[in-house]
Amino acid sequence: MLEPSETLQAPPQKLVMTGMAKLSRAILTVLLAGRHAAVGGRNSRERAANLVRIAAAYSRVELEAEKGIGPARATAVERWLAGQGVSLRVERDCAVSTMARAEVIMAGGAERVEKLEPR
């Protein structure tokens, strides 16, 4: 039988939410502070609870344009979202998408992509 003190203990401070467990810390950091983080809420607790919503707000081009996210990490986010039954945002304008993709590859800068991407 458990002692009374054992039942009242707080959960460990570094408890990872189950939904986030399959994403690396680097990806989590980018998503929780990235360009679409505000979609999830005002503070980090709300954002962590709405991580799927934040990640789904990105298009593939926008995600890869975030500092610290490349093609491999973007694929990891896509797979994680698929496991949640959601996908990345589909870009509406194929011509802009193609230009933005080329800009990311050639210039490697998010500044130029933001100017080309409609919001």
Side-chain angles (χ1 to χ4, degrees), residues 12-116:
Q13 292 294 333
K14 295 192 178 191
L15 184 65
V16 177
M17 293 176 66
T18 307
M20 297 188 317
K22 294 186 179 185
L23 291 176
S24 71
R25 184 173 298 257
I27 293 172
L28 291 173
T29 301
V30 171
L31 291 176
L32 294 174
R35 72 176 75 182
H36 294 301
V39 169
R42 293 180 184 228
N43 60 48
S44 58
R45 177 169 276 177
E46 289 174 355
R47 290 176 180 181
N50 293 309
L51 190 63
V52 172
R53 188 176 188 189
I54 294 169
Y58 280 92
S59 69
R60 176 73 186 219
V61 172
E62 287 176 329
L63 190 58
E64 286 183 16
E66 289 283 1
K67 186 175 181 180
I69 302 285
R73 286 184 174 157
T75 300
V77 172
E78 281 183 313
R79 287 183 182 153
W80 176 76
L81 282 173
Q84 308 294 318
V86 184
S87 64
L88 290 173
R89 181 175 51 83
V90 177
E91 297 175 52
R92 287 177 251 147
D93 187 354
C94 293
V96 171
S97 172
T98 304
M99 289 189 319
R101 239 181 255 277
E103 195 65 40
V104 168
I105 293 167
M106 294 173 68
E111 301 82 25
R112 300 280 307 258
V113 173
E114 288 181 30
K115 291 177 184 171
L116 292 173

